Amino acid sequence: MNNAEETLSIFALGGVNEIGKNMYAIQYGEDIVVIDCGSKFPDESLLGIDLIIPDITYLLENSSRVRALIITHGHEDHIGGVPYILRQLKLPVYATRLTIGLIEVKLREAGLLAETELIPITSDSTVDLGSIQATFFKTNHSIPDCLGIAFHTPEGVVVHTGDFKFDLTPVSEQYADIHKMSDLGKNGVLALLSESTNAERPGFTPSERKVGEHILEAFSKARQKIFFSTFASNVHRIQQVIDAAEATGRHIALLGRGMENVVGIAAKLGYLTIPEGMLVKPEEVNRLAPERIAVLCTGSQGEPLSALSRLSTSNHRKVHILPGDTVILSATPIPGNERNVSRIVDNLFRLGARVVYGSGSVTGLHVSGHASQDELKLMLTLMKPKYFIPIHGEFRMLHQHGLLAESVGVDPEHIFIVNNGDVVDIQNHVARQTRKVTAGNTFVDGWGIGDVGNIVLRDRKHLSEDGILIVVVTLSKTEGHIVSGPDIISRGFVYVRGSEELLDQANQLVAQTITKLQAENMNQWSTLKIRVKDVLGRYLYESTGRKPMILPIIMEI
Amino acid sequence: MNNAEETLSIFALGGVNEIGKNMYAIQYGEDIVVIDCGSKFPDESLLGIDLIIPDITYLLENSSRVRALIITHGHEDHIGGVPYILRQLKLPVYATRLTIGLIEVKLREAGLLAETELIPITSDSTVDLGSIQATFFKTNHSIPDCLGIAFHTPEGVVVHTGDFKFDLTPVSEQYADIHKMSDLGKNGVLALLSESTNAERPGFTPSERKVGEHILEAFSKARQKIFFSTFASNVHRIQQVIDAAEATGRHIALLGRGMENVVGIAAKLGYLTIPEGMLVKPEEVNRLAPERIAVLCTGSQGEPLSALSRLSTSNHRKVHILPGDTVILSATPIPGNERNVSRIVDNLFRLGARVVYGSGSVTGLHVSGHASQDELKLMLTLMKPKYFIPIHGEFRMLHQHGLLAESVGVDPEHIFIVNNGDVVDIQNHVARQTRKVTAGNTFVDGWGIGDVGNIVLRDRKHLSEDGILIVVVTLSKTEGHIVSGPDIISRGFVYVRGSEELLDQANQLVAQTITKLQAENMNQWSTLKIRVKDVLGRYLYESTGRKPMILPIIMEI
């Protein structure tokens, strides 16, 4: 089978040295298969950017060879980029039913649903993609219907775990295919790509079922309304809330678009079992006795526009939190979200609510969906790969995952900690990492994809720190003297009221500078502009300690 | 003694419903005493702001009554505002020797040292301030020489704890005055103001000495250079690093201005004991054997310009981290700093360093300087105050601290959870909270204090998200037609290259709008400007999904 000319190549277009924006590719000869197409949110330095998706230049340049996009599961960091990418590159998309249900929502919004080929698969499917054959295995995670993928290539088997944990007592009997994993390892795995999100965390991640026990306890103790906020996609968690509501005789109302969407899809597709008559509309909450209602809502990460955020400031039109109500934040704040979560908790306490918040390891009301160190070692032991590429994580997580692999016997020389775009080439069972393909961040801002880059962001940063000063002067075309101005307009710099003297001085300085340069015949526009910026910049810095953007507008008439 | 006409008033000018910027006032009749004058760093929404200090309008309006500023200890959230406030209000400043040493650095930089009356006190001092007499008690905290204060007023005793923990095995024998605290309680405390930083944390904060054991262990295991980063002000921690270096035969080099400053002051004043010949200059690090050197540096909170940050990117001129070196981050990241800390850890791993990082409760290499719940209850039990005002913390912390007070027997009706500016008035031993004084944030931006407010910040936010578009048009004064322009200049909006069509269309739209308005005789400037903004704003939002600031500049000649 093996053609000595051909090379098996493995690379990430997103997802390593970062959290989110996952996209990986397996290439053999003329066939490329893409795994996942995620998005991530910008950090606070990327001003005005709404979303980040992978740079798919490489795929566009090789579009005739790309056979398929396979999605491991329906989280945003795995499907968030799908509508943006499909607009540029037509591809069949393979995923399980729930994942397809979630992708459909996005494609419908983007007007791409009709033209996209969405192919449902199960963990028993086999998909032939040229020289690459994909088979699947079920994994446990914080959303149902997750897949790991085995790519059978002429060079050997490459396994991509997707996101996973080992939950031995899963909710809704969603057991992982541990025997399939074992068989893959027994028959020989050439390369393993395994997720690293919790590679810094010792031990074994607790079962989702443990959370169910704490939910039932919290429901049993509450005497008034309960507000339960969690990730809308955590269908198992939601099932356990429904079960607790049933056991304690409460109705459930859904708040937040994400919650309504996911619960609707999951119930329709049979991933959620909701007793007849349990769901009530938000407007019915006030008509029911407080001990007969639980509200399931979004906002557990402190998202400023979420249902919980609006509830915490009494800004929800239909539902109100009253003193003595219980609010449960069933999530551990993701780094970067702590301040927003804290602000909501403060406001909930101000309303007189009993608030259960903080790390899930303390409250018992949240567990991670990702494998901790012992589970990562279990996966490595089951797969016993020749080569190992840790994926999904920042450098320190990939590094720690590499150490875990070493600890269970993987040859340190066979561990590749890569950047997005770094290609691991395997030929005749020997792997090398020497070349790169284009990879990086594509920024989404409003409707624009990729039209905001470093210069625009640098300007936004400059504007955000010290504002802008615009100097308008009109010069006589024939004589060169100042006809009108200089007029100074500022935004985001100082209060104009109270700064009259500063701005007057600035004005005079500009006029003097121009007059002097005219007298010296240094009156090319570019010289004038540079000197005005210089002189004014220095004056403003000395007077205020600030460096606003200065924009001289010089006109001739 | 008690004059029935007079009222004892207690209020915060900073430090409640926030972390940092601490400033409290005790007022009796004609006498006001101020406690602490801290600063805090802005969150990411306050674009371009360097520092936040308390609004002292009330003190300025009552300047003749303000008797003194007493500082509890030398942390930035207690002394950071001192130079800014003293520039507006002349006051004698009382503090312990180390605290004065740290304040002197600030006053020297601000050119205020000569004119400021700095009065050293000890825990045995008594300070008479009109009708108010202050006595002091030592507390344990993460900086030496901390004080709690008892204010003896005709109405009764008010106790302010400052920051504290109960460290029963403190470093350098800095024991707290637990018997003085007990005596205060025994003799009757009218009102207690106690810090709430760790009010959410169960248990008893471990002793600083525990950290010392882990430092010694880490030093004993390291085979090459050690980099130890911590808060420069944590003199006890630094002493323990020095002790471990002595025990393991290492020299110490200091990196970072803050570290050099504090170690210099603390050593000079006798708060640090450094063996003769132990300190070496940074340039000597490379000449010493790697197992003979430890570097003490700033940057444990990921500060981007700190020594550790520069080391992590190999950007330090004199010192380099090599594979196998050990780097210890002796601090738990403060919420908001996690990303910066993580970035540094990633870079340190890339350099091949062994990195010890993460929560102190896991590494053993950091403990908090603040009292946990059991210690807060101990303080409440010692003081058994009639009235309780939790201070130093966000609402949820104050709220939790209030619950702790209830649990040890304080009457819930006697617990005041206040906002900055809320006044608790006590007359004839009855407390009420009904009135307010001016309080709030004063922003420091560059040299400017208070000249940036909400309008400037709103503009910066707008500019930061979508940039600015400036439209320049010159109209004929007599005829009204367009003489030159419209010219569109944009910054931070889109790449100009690639957006020519968009900007051309925008240009034409402006020209049409103006021509049409002129034809309709709607040619007042204000109308022209509003309509240009309107039409252009709508067009840009429809085309790009963005809302840049639009600034029409219309001139007549």
Side-chain angles (χ1 to χ4, degrees), chain A residues 17 44 47 200 338-339 342 346 357 396 445 447 451 460 464 470 492 541 544-546 551 555, chain B residues 17 44 47 200 338-339 342 346 350 357 396 445 447 451 460 464 470 492 541 544-546 551 555:
Chain A
N17 293 306
E44 62 281 1
L47 297 165
E200 294 170 289
E338 290 91 348
R339 282 184 185 161
S342 297
D346 284 336
Y357 65 104
R396 63 194 180 282
D445 180 4
W447 324 140
D451 65 338
R460 286 184 186 171
S464 78
I470 300 152
Y541 185 69
T544 66
R546 297 173 209 167
L551 211 63
M555 291 185 298
Chain B
N17 293 307
E44 62 281 0
L47 296 166
E200 295 169 288
E338 290 91 347
R339 282 184 185 163
S342 297
D346 283 336
R350 285 196 181 94
Y357 65 104
R396 62 194 180 282
D445 180 4
W447 323 139
D451 65 337
R460 286 184 187 171
S464 78
I470 299 152
Y541 184 69
T544 66
R546 297 174 208 167
L551 212 62
M555 292 184 299

Side-chain angles (χ1 to χ4, degrees), chain A residues 72-76 79 98-99 102 139-147 163 174 232-236 262 271 369:
Chain A
T72 58
H73 64 285
H75 278 151
E76 287 300 313
I79 68 169
L98 179 63
T99 309
L102 296 168
T139 61
N140 303 117
H141 187 42
S142 46
I143 186 170
D145 236 7
C146 294
L147 294 177
D163 281 349
Q174 302 241 354
S233 60
N234 200 331
V235 174
H236 299 313
V262 177
Y271 293 90

Side-chain angles (χ1 to χ4, degrees), chain A residues 17 41-44 47-50 200 202 335-340 342-343 345-347 349-351 353 355 357 362 394-397 399-400 403 419 444-457 459-461 463-468 470 472-474 483-484 487 489-496 499 533 540-546 549 551-553 555-557, chain B residues 17 41-44 47-50 200 202 335-340 342-343 345-347 349-351 353 355 357 362 394-397 399-400 403 419 444-457 459-461 463-468 470 472-474 483-484 487 489-496 499 533 540-546 549 551-553 555-557:
Chain A
N17 293 306
F41 288 111
D43 67 28
E44 62 281 1
L47 297 165
I49 300 298
D50 297 322
E200 294 170 289
N337 292 349
E338 290 91 348
R339 282 184 185 161
N340 283 338
S342 297
R343 203 167 295 142
V345 172
D346 284 336
N347 288 332
F349 275 128
R350 285 198 181 93
L351 294 177
V355 191
Y357 65 104
V362 175
E394 307 211 34
F395 187 84
R396 63 194 180 282
M397 304 166 189
H399 174 79
Q400 298 281 19
L403 296 180
N419 289 307
V444 179
D445 180 4
W447 324 140
I449 305 174
D451 65 338
V452 168
N454 291 337
I455 296 174
V456 171
L457 286 173
D459 283 349
R460 286 184 186 171
K461 177 115 180 89
L463 290 166
S464 78
E465 285 171 353
D466 290 317
I468 187 168
I470 300 152
V472 188
V473 195
T474 314
V483 179
S484 82
D487 293 312
I489 304 155
S490 83
R491 289 290 185 276
F493 172 53
V494 288
Y495 268 140
V496 174
S499 306
K533 268 174 118 160
L540 293 173
Y541 185 69
E542 280 164 12
S543 329
T544 66
R546 297 173 209 167
M549 185 181 282
L551 211 63
I553 298 178
M555 291 185 298
E556 285 186 334
I557 57 160
Chain B
N17 293 307
F41 288 110
D43 68 28
E44 62 281 0
L47 296 166
I49 299 299
D50 298 322
E200 295 169 288
N337 292 349
E338 290 91 347
R339 282 184 185 163
N340 283 338
S342 297
R343 205 168 294 144
V345 172
D346 283 336
N347 288 332
F349 274 129
R350 285 196 181 94
L351 293 177
V355 191
Y357 65 104
V362 176
E394 308 212 34
F395 186 85
R396 62 194 180 282
M397 303 166 189
H399 174 80
Q400 298 281 18
L403 297 179
N419 289 308
V444 179
D445 180 4
W447 323 139
I449 304 173
D451 65 337
V452 167
N454 291 335
I455 296 173
V456 171
L457 286 172
D459 283 349
R460 286 184 187 171
K461 176 117 180 89
L463 290 166
S464 78
E465 284 171 352
D466 290 317
I468 187 169
I470 299 152
V472 188
V473 195
T474 315
V483 178
S484 82
D487 293 311
I489 303 156
S490 84
R491 290 288 186 276
F493 171 52
V494 287
Y495 268 139
V496 175
S499 305
K533 268 174 118 160
L540 293 174
Y541 184 69
E542 281 165 10
S543 327
T544 66
R546 297 174 208 167
M549 184 181 282
L551 212 62
I553 298 178
M555 292 184 299
E556 285 186 334
I557 58 160

